[in-house]
Amino acid sequence: MSAPARDYYETLGLERDASAADVKRAFLRKARQLHPDVSDDPDAEAKFKEVNEAYSVLSDPRRRQNYDRFGDADGMGGFGSMDDLFSGFGSMSDLFSDFFGGGARQRRSGRGRDMAARIAVTLAEAATGTERTIAYDRLGVCDDCGGTGSADGETPHTCPACGGSGMRTIVQQTILGRMQTSAPCDVCHGTGTVVEHPCETCEGQGRVPTHEVVTVDVPVGVRDGETLRMAGLGEAGWRGEVAGDLVVEFAVAEDPRFVRRGDDLAARIDVDALEAILGCTVEVEGILEGESFLADVEAGSLEGARLRVEGRGMPRRGGGRGDFYGIVEVHPVADLTSEERETLSRVSRSHGGRIAPELEAVAEGRAPSAKHWPRP
Ligand SMILES: [Zn+2]
Ligand SMILES: [Zn+2]
Protein backbone atom coordinates (compact mmCIF):
# COMPACT_ATOMS: atom_id res chain seq x y z
CA MET A 1 0.00 0.00 0.00
CA SER A 2 1.29 3.42 -0.89
CA ALA A 3 1.49 6.31 1.50
CA PRO A 4 -1.45 8.71 1.36
CA ALA A 5 -1.13 11.07 -1.58
CA ARG A 6 -0.18 14.53 -0.44
CA ASP A 7 -0.68 16.13 -3.82
CA TYR A 8 -4.28 17.28 -3.74
CA TYR A 9 -4.37 17.87 -7.49
CA GLU A 10 -3.16 14.35 -8.15
CA THR A 11 -5.72 12.96 -5.70
CA LEU A 12 -8.51 14.54 -7.71
CA GLY A 13 -6.83 13.91 -11.08
CA LEU A 14 -6.55 17.60 -11.89
CA GLU A 15 -4.08 19.98 -13.50
CA ARG A 16 -2.88 22.81 -11.31
CA ASP A 17 -4.78 25.40 -13.34
CA ALA A 18 -8.12 23.60 -12.90
CA SER A 19 -11.10 25.95 -12.50
CA ALA A 20 -13.38 25.90 -9.48
CA ALA A 21 -16.00 24.10 -11.56
CA ASP A 22 -13.41 21.48 -12.63
CA VAL A 23 -12.51 20.92 -8.99
CA LYS A 24 -16.12 20.38 -8.02
CA ARG A 25 -16.83 18.05 -10.94
CA ALA A 26 -13.69 16.00 -10.35
CA PHE A 27 -14.48 15.72 -6.69
CA LEU A 28 -18.06 14.59 -7.23
CA ARG A 29 -16.94 12.03 -9.81
CA LYS A 30 -14.33 10.59 -7.44
CA ALA A 31 -16.58 10.75 -4.44
CA ARG A 32 -19.31 8.85 -6.26
CA GLN A 33 -16.89 6.02 -7.07
CA LEU A 34 -15.41 5.91 -3.60
CA HIS A 35 -18.30 6.63 -1.28
CA PRO A 36 -18.19 3.86 1.35
CA ASP A 37 -21.90 3.17 0.85
CA VAL A 38 -21.30 2.41 -2.83
CA SER A 39 -17.78 1.09 -3.34
CA ASP A 40 -16.55 -2.49 -2.84
CA ASP A 41 -12.92 -1.35 -2.59
CA PRO A 42 -11.67 -2.26 0.93
CA ASP A 43 -9.69 1.00 1.00
CA ALA A 44 -12.67 3.02 -0.13
CA GLU A 45 -13.10 4.80 3.16
CA ALA A 46 -9.46 5.90 3.40
CA LYS A 47 -9.46 6.98 -0.23
CA PHE A 48 -12.75 8.81 0.26
CA LYS A 49 -11.21 10.73 3.13
CA GLU A 50 -8.25 11.75 0.98
CA VAL A 51 -10.54 12.94 -1.78
CA ASN A 52 -12.55 14.81 0.81
CA GLU A 53 -9.50 16.50 2.22
CA ALA A 54 -8.22 17.44 -1.24
CA TYR A 55 -11.59 18.94 -2.08
CA SER A 56 -11.93 20.85 1.16
CA VAL A 57 -8.63 22.60 0.35
CA LEU A 58 -8.95 23.10 -3.41
CA SER A 59 -12.56 24.31 -3.22
CA ASP A 60 -11.66 27.10 -0.80
CA PRO A 61 -9.89 29.86 -2.75
CA ARG A 62 -7.92 31.02 0.27
CA ARG A 63 -6.78 27.58 1.35
CA ARG A 64 -6.02 26.62 -2.25
CA GLN A 65 -3.86 29.72 -2.66
CA ASN A 66 -2.01 28.86 0.55
CA TYR A 67 -1.52 25.32 -0.65
CA ASP A 68 -0.23 26.45 -4.06
CA ARG A 69 2.19 28.92 -2.52
CA PHE A 70 3.33 27.23 0.66
CA GLY A 71 2.33 23.62 0.19
CA ASP A 72 0.12 23.95 3.25
CA ALA A 73 -3.51 25.00 3.29
CA ASP A 74 -3.58 26.47 6.77
CA GLY A 75 0.02 27.42 7.45
CA MET A 76 -0.45 31.05 6.58
CA GLY A 77 -3.50 33.09 7.29
CA GLY A 78 -5.82 30.16 7.89
CA PHE A 79 -9.08 30.82 9.63
CA GLY A 80 -8.47 31.50 13.26
CA SER A 81 -12.12 30.96 13.96
CA MET A 82 -12.44 27.34 12.90
CA ASP A 83 -13.02 26.51 16.56
CA ASP A 84 -16.14 28.56 16.34
CA LEU A 85 -17.77 25.96 14.20
CA PHE A 86 -20.39 24.06 16.00
CA SER A 87 -20.88 20.48 15.04
CA GLY A 88 -24.66 20.82 15.14
CA PHE A 89 -24.88 20.14 11.45
CA GLY A 90 -22.81 16.98 11.57
CA SER A 91 -19.53 16.03 10.00
CA MET A 92 -18.37 16.22 6.42
CA SER A 93 -19.25 12.59 5.89
CA ASP A 94 -22.82 13.21 7.11
CA LEU A 95 -22.99 15.95 4.55
CA PHE A 96 -22.00 13.57 1.78
CA SER A 97 -24.32 10.87 3.01
CA ASP A 98 -27.08 13.43 2.74
CA PHE A 99 -25.96 14.27 -0.75
CA PHE A 100 -25.49 10.78 -2.10
CA GLY A 101 -28.38 9.40 -0.15
CA GLY A 102 -30.58 12.25 -1.27
CA GLY A 103 -31.89 10.38 -4.29
CA ALA A 104 -33.12 7.48 -2.27
CA ARG A 105 -34.36 9.23 0.81
CA GLN A 106 -37.95 10.18 1.09
CA ARG A 107 -38.51 13.80 1.83
CA ARG A 108 -41.55 15.57 3.02
CA SER A 109 -40.53 18.88 1.57
CA GLY A 110 -37.84 20.22 -0.71
CA ARG A 111 -36.87 23.01 1.65
CA GLY A 112 -33.26 22.81 2.78
CA ARG A 113 -32.60 22.10 6.44
CA ASP A 114 -31.42 24.69 8.91
CA MET A 115 -27.81 24.49 10.04
CA ALA A 116 -26.18 25.62 13.27
CA ALA A 117 -22.90 27.36 14.04
CA ARG A 118 -21.48 28.77 17.24
CA ILE A 119 -19.41 31.90 17.61
CA ALA A 120 -17.38 32.41 20.78
CA VAL A 121 -16.61 35.98 21.84
CA THR A 122 -15.05 37.58 24.89
CA LEU A 123 -17.12 39.78 27.20
CA ALA A 124 -15.20 42.81 25.90
CA GLU A 125 -16.12 41.86 22.32
CA ALA A 126 -19.72 41.44 23.37
CA ALA A 127 -19.61 44.95 24.86
CA THR A 128 -18.58 46.63 21.61
CA GLY A 129 -19.97 44.20 19.07
CA THR A 130 -17.64 42.80 16.42
CA GLU A 131 -17.44 40.87 13.18
CA ARG A 132 -16.54 37.22 12.74
CA THR A 133 -15.84 35.19 9.67
CA ILE A 134 -16.87 31.56 9.80
CA ALA A 135 -16.29 28.79 7.29
CA TYR A 136 -18.49 25.74 6.95
CA ASP A 137 -19.60 23.07 4.52
CA ARG A 138 -23.15 22.68 3.32
CA LEU A 139 -25.20 21.53 0.39
CA GLY A 140 -25.22 24.70 -1.72
CA VAL A 141 -26.85 25.61 -5.00
CA CYS A 142 -25.36 23.73 -7.99
CA ASP A 143 -23.81 26.32 -10.30
CA ASP A 144 -23.91 24.07 -13.34
CA CYS A 145 -27.70 23.99 -13.48
CA GLY A 146 -28.45 27.09 -11.42
CA GLY A 147 -30.17 24.90 -8.87
CA THR A 148 -32.83 23.63 -11.27
CA GLY A 149 -31.41 20.10 -11.36
CA SER A 150 -31.92 20.07 -15.11
CA ALA A 151 -29.06 19.55 -17.58
CA ASP A 152 -30.65 21.49 -20.43
CA GLY A 153 -32.50 24.26 -18.65
CA GLU A 154 -35.90 22.66 -19.10
CA THR A 155 -38.41 23.72 -16.48
CA PRO A 156 -39.36 20.93 -14.11
CA HIS A 157 -42.74 19.46 -14.91
CA THR A 158 -45.42 17.94 -12.76
CA CYS A 159 -44.52 14.56 -11.37
CA PRO A 160 -46.63 11.94 -13.19
CA ALA A 161 -46.51 9.56 -10.24
CA CYS A 162 -48.19 11.81 -7.69
CA GLY A 163 -49.79 14.41 -9.92
CA GLY A 164 -47.75 17.17 -8.28
CA SER A 165 -48.97 16.67 -4.72
CA GLY A 166 -45.63 15.24 -3.60
CA MET A 167 -47.49 12.56 -1.65
CA ARG A 168 -48.66 9.10 -2.67
CA THR A 169 -51.44 7.15 -1.13
CA ILE A 170 -50.68 3.57 -0.31
CA VAL A 171 -53.58 1.19 0.06
CA GLN A 172 -53.00 -1.99 2.02
CA GLN A 173 -55.26 -4.92 2.70
CA THR A 174 -55.21 -5.82 6.35
CA ILE A 175 -57.34 -8.08 8.52
CA LEU A 176 -59.26 -4.97 9.53
CA GLY A 177 -59.94 -4.08 5.91
CA ARG A 178 -58.40 -1.58 3.54
CA MET A 179 -55.95 0.82 5.20
CA GLN A 180 -54.87 4.02 3.51
CA THR A 181 -51.63 5.71 4.41
CA SER A 182 -49.76 8.46 2.59
CA ALA A 183 -46.02 8.90 2.17
CA PRO A 184 -43.78 11.31 0.26
CA CYS A 185 -43.66 10.42 -3.42
CA ASP A 186 -40.52 8.40 -4.17
CA VAL A 187 -40.35 9.56 -7.78
CA CYS A 188 -40.11 13.30 -7.09
CA HIS A 189 -38.95 13.02 -3.46
CA GLY A 190 -41.98 14.91 -2.28
CA THR A 191 -41.36 17.97 -4.42
CA GLY A 192 -44.14 17.32 -6.92
CA THR A 193 -41.94 17.98 -9.95
CA VAL A 194 -39.42 16.04 -12.04
CA VAL A 195 -36.91 16.88 -14.78
CA GLU A 196 -36.34 14.85 -17.95
CA HIS A 197 -32.53 15.21 -18.13
CA PRO A 198 -30.99 15.61 -14.68
CA CYS A 199 -27.84 17.75 -14.30
CA GLU A 200 -24.83 15.44 -14.09
CA THR A 201 -23.00 17.47 -11.48
CA CYS A 202 -25.76 17.31 -8.90
CA GLU A 203 -27.67 14.28 -10.23
CA GLY A 204 -30.77 16.41 -10.53
CA GLN A 205 -30.78 17.59 -6.92
CA GLY A 206 -29.92 21.18 -7.81
CA ARG A 207 -27.37 21.27 -5.01
CA VAL A 208 -23.88 20.03 -4.29
CA PRO A 209 -21.46 20.07 -1.33
CA THR A 210 -19.97 23.55 -1.07
CA HIS A 211 -17.62 25.35 1.24
CA GLU A 212 -18.99 28.64 2.54
CA VAL A 213 -17.31 31.59 4.19
CA VAL A 214 -19.63 34.13 5.77
CA THR A 215 -19.10 37.21 7.86
CA VAL A 216 -21.37 37.52 10.88
CA ASP A 217 -22.09 40.75 12.72
CA VAL A 218 -21.84 40.10 16.44
CA PRO A 219 -24.30 42.62 17.91
CA VAL A 220 -23.45 45.07 20.68
CA GLY A 221 -24.34 43.70 24.10
CA VAL A 222 -24.92 40.17 22.80
CA ARG A 223 -25.84 37.69 25.54
CA ASP A 224 -24.53 34.20 26.01
CA GLY A 225 -26.78 31.74 24.17
CA GLU A 226 -28.41 34.39 22.01
CA THR A 227 -29.06 33.25 18.44
CA LEU A 228 -29.07 34.96 15.08
CA ARG A 229 -30.90 33.46 12.10
CA MET A 230 -29.21 34.07 8.75
CA ALA A 231 -31.84 33.36 6.13
CA GLY A 232 -30.91 31.10 3.24
CA LEU A 233 -27.42 30.22 4.46
CA GLY A 234 -28.33 26.72 5.60
CA GLU A 235 -28.74 23.72 3.33
CA ALA A 236 -29.87 24.61 -0.22
CA GLY A 237 -33.34 23.45 -1.14
CA TRP A 238 -34.07 20.48 -3.36
CA ARG A 239 -34.03 21.65 -6.99
CA GLY A 240 -34.26 25.37 -6.33
CA GLU A 241 -36.66 25.23 -3.40
CA VAL A 242 -36.17 27.50 -0.41
CA ALA A 243 -32.86 27.06 1.41
CA GLY A 244 -32.69 26.50 5.15
CA ASP A 245 -31.23 29.08 7.50
CA LEU A 246 -27.91 29.24 9.28
CA VAL A 247 -28.63 29.66 12.98
CA VAL A 248 -25.65 31.20 14.73
CA GLU A 249 -25.44 30.86 18.49
CA PHE A 250 -23.21 33.26 20.38
CA ALA A 251 -21.18 31.97 23.29
CA VAL A 252 -19.96 34.83 25.48
CA ALA A 253 -16.94 33.76 27.53
CA GLU A 254 -16.70 34.60 31.20
CA ASP A 255 -14.38 37.44 32.06
CA PRO A 256 -11.90 37.17 34.94
CA ARG A 257 -12.63 40.75 36.04
CA PHE A 258 -16.40 41.02 35.72
CA VAL A 259 -19.51 39.09 36.56
CA ARG A 260 -22.39 39.86 34.24
CA ARG A 261 -26.04 39.97 35.29
CA GLY A 262 -28.14 41.00 32.33
CA ASP A 263 -26.77 44.37 31.32
CA ASP A 264 -25.12 45.03 34.68
CA LEU A 265 -21.51 44.24 35.51
CA ALA A 266 -20.04 43.55 38.93
CA ALA A 267 -16.38 43.57 39.96
CA ARG A 268 -14.40 43.33 43.15
CA ILE A 269 -13.15 46.56 44.70
CA ASP A 270 -10.05 45.96 46.81
CA VAL A 271 -9.51 48.34 49.73
CA ASP A 272 -7.47 48.09 52.91
CA ALA A 273 -8.97 48.31 56.39
CA LEU A 274 -8.08 51.99 56.80
CA GLU A 275 -9.66 52.89 53.45
CA ALA A 276 -12.73 50.92 54.48
CA ILE A 277 -12.96 52.88 57.77
CA LEU A 278 -12.36 56.30 56.28
CA GLY A 279 -13.96 55.80 52.88
CA CYS A 280 -12.12 56.41 49.62
CA THR A 281 -12.46 57.01 45.92
CA VAL A 282 -11.02 54.31 43.68
CA GLU A 283 -10.35 54.18 39.98
CA VAL A 284 -12.11 51.25 38.30
CA GLU A 285 -11.24 49.70 34.95
CA GLY A 286 -14.33 49.49 32.73
CA ILE A 287 -15.32 46.86 30.17
CA LEU A 288 -14.55 49.10 27.18
CA GLU A 289 -10.96 49.39 25.98
CA GLY A 290 -9.08 52.03 27.95
CA GLU A 291 -12.17 52.91 29.99
CA SER A 292 -11.80 53.90 33.62
CA PHE A 293 -14.05 55.72 36.05
CA LEU A 294 -14.21 56.64 39.71
CA ALA A 295 -16.21 54.82 42.36
CA ASP A 296 -16.79 55.99 45.94
CA VAL A 297 -16.34 53.52 48.77
CA GLU A 298 -18.36 54.84 51.70
CA ALA A 299 -16.70 55.41 55.08
CA GLY A 300 -17.29 52.43 57.34
CA SER A 301 -17.76 49.96 54.48
CA LEU A 302 -17.60 46.33 55.46
CA GLU A 303 -16.46 43.32 53.49
CA GLY A 304 -19.06 42.61 50.79
CA ALA A 305 -20.49 46.15 50.77
CA ARG A 306 -21.90 47.18 47.39
CA LEU A 307 -21.55 50.39 45.51
CA ARG A 308 -23.23 51.31 42.25
CA VAL A 309 -22.00 53.45 39.36
CA GLU A 310 -24.77 54.16 36.88
CA GLY A 311 -24.23 53.63 33.16
CA ARG A 312 -20.91 51.77 33.43
CA GLY A 313 -22.23 48.26 32.77
CA MET A 314 -22.67 46.50 29.40
CA PRO A 315 -23.63 48.67 26.44
CA ARG A 316 -27.13 47.96 25.17
CA ARG A 317 -27.97 47.40 21.51
CA GLY A 318 -30.40 50.30 21.35
CA GLY A 319 -28.03 52.66 23.19
CA GLY A 320 -27.37 53.26 26.86
CA ARG A 321 -25.63 50.96 29.28
CA GLY A 322 -26.36 48.87 32.33
CA ASP A 323 -24.88 49.76 35.71
CA PHE A 324 -21.63 48.83 37.39
CA TYR A 325 -21.61 47.27 40.87
CA GLY A 326 -18.51 47.21 43.01
CA ILE A 327 -18.28 44.59 45.75
CA VAL A 328 -15.91 45.73 48.51
CA GLU A 329 -13.20 43.35 49.65
CA VAL A 330 -11.28 44.52 52.72
CA HIS A 331 -7.58 43.62 53.03
CA PRO A 332 -5.13 44.04 55.96
CA VAL A 333 -3.20 47.30 56.08
CA ALA A 334 0.29 46.49 54.91
CA ASP A 335 3.56 47.72 56.50
CA LEU A 336 2.30 49.83 59.40
CA THR A 337 5.20 51.51 61.21
CA SER A 338 5.35 51.46 65.01
CA GLU A 339 4.48 55.16 65.06
CA GLU A 340 1.43 54.54 62.91
CA ARG A 341 0.32 51.71 65.16
CA GLU A 342 0.64 54.02 68.17
CA THR A 343 -1.42 56.73 66.49
CA LEU A 344 -4.09 54.25 65.59
CA SER A 345 -4.08 52.75 69.06
CA ARG A 346 -4.85 56.18 70.54
CA VAL A 347 -7.75 56.65 68.13
CA SER A 348 -9.06 53.21 68.88
CA ARG A 349 -8.70 53.65 72.62
CA SER A 350 -10.61 56.91 72.60
CA HIS A 351 -13.45 54.94 71.05
CA GLY A 352 -13.25 52.39 73.83
CA GLY A 353 -11.33 49.97 71.61
CA ARG A 354 -9.48 47.00 73.01
CA ILE A 355 -5.81 47.24 72.15
CA ALA A 356 -2.66 45.21 72.79
CA PRO A 357 -1.09 45.64 76.31
CA GLU A 358 2.17 47.17 75.05
CA LEU A 359 0.21 49.77 73.05
CA GLU A 360 -2.00 50.42 76.08
CA ALA A 361 1.05 51.45 78.12
CA VAL A 362 2.10 53.90 75.40
CA ALA A 363 -1.44 55.24 74.99
CA GLU A 364 -1.55 55.91 78.76
CA GLY A 365 1.91 57.54 78.74
CA ARG A 366 3.41 54.84 80.99
CA ALA A 367 5.92 53.57 78.44
CA PRO A 368 8.57 55.18 76.24
CA SER A 369 7.91 55.87 72.59
CA ALA A 370 7.47 53.00 70.23
CA LYS A 371 10.74 53.51 68.41
CA HIS A 372 12.47 51.37 71.06
CA TRP A 373 10.38 48.39 70.12
CA PRO A 374 10.90 45.99 67.32
CA ARG A 375 8.55 46.29 64.36
CA PRO A 376 5.74 43.77 64.44
ZN1 LIG B 1 -44.12 12.71 -7.26
ZN1 LIG C 1 -26.76 20.68 -11.11
Side-chain angles (χ1 to χ4, degrees), residues 159 161-162 166 185 187-188 192:
C159 170
C162 63
C185 171
V187 174
C188 62

Side-chain angles (χ1 to χ4, degrees), residues 159-239:
C159 170
C162 63
S165 70
M167 301 296 281
R168 294 179 83 173
T169 305
I170 299 157
V171 181
Q172 287 176 302
Q173 293 291 342
T174 74
I175 50 166
L176 298 173
R178 281 155 62 91
M179 296 278 288
Q180 278 198 6
T181 52
S182 53
C185 171
D186 54 357
V187 174
C188 62
H189 311 288
T191 60
T193 58
V194 288
V195 288
E196 210 68 57
H197 305 289
C199 164
E200 269 182 44
T201 309
C202 63
E203 293 187 323
Q205 284 197 40
R207 54 188 192 175
V208 287
T210 55
H211 189 69
E212 304 291 339
V213 177
V214 296
T215 301
V216 181
D217 278 320
V218 180
V220 169
V222 67
R223 307 225 178 158
D224 186 45
E226 196 175 322
T227 57
L228 174 70
R229 189 170 276 272
M230 300 180 80
L233 290 177
E235 187 183 81
W238 181 274
R239 216 182 284 142

Side-chain angles (χ1 to χ4, degrees), residues 275-340:
E275 291 171 325
I277 292 165
L278 299 171
C280 62
T281 299
V282 295
E283 193 176 354
V284 180
E285 197 185 320
I287 186 66
L288 301 178
E289 198 183 338
E291 179 189 17
S292 70
F293 53 90
L294 299 177
D296 291 324
V297 176
E298 263 181 56
S301 286
L302 300 176
E303 174 86 7
R306 281 173 172 234
L307 56 90
R308 186 166 80 120
V309 184
E310 268 180 50
R312 293 292 189 168
M314 287 295 279
R316 293 192 184 106
R317 209 154 306 168
R321 293 175 70 172
D323 297 334
F324 171 85
Y325 287 89
I327 315 293
V328 172
E329 186 163 315
V330 182
H331 298 270
V333 183
D335 299 329
L336 275 183
T337 64
S338 302
E339 286 83 354
E340 286 165 342

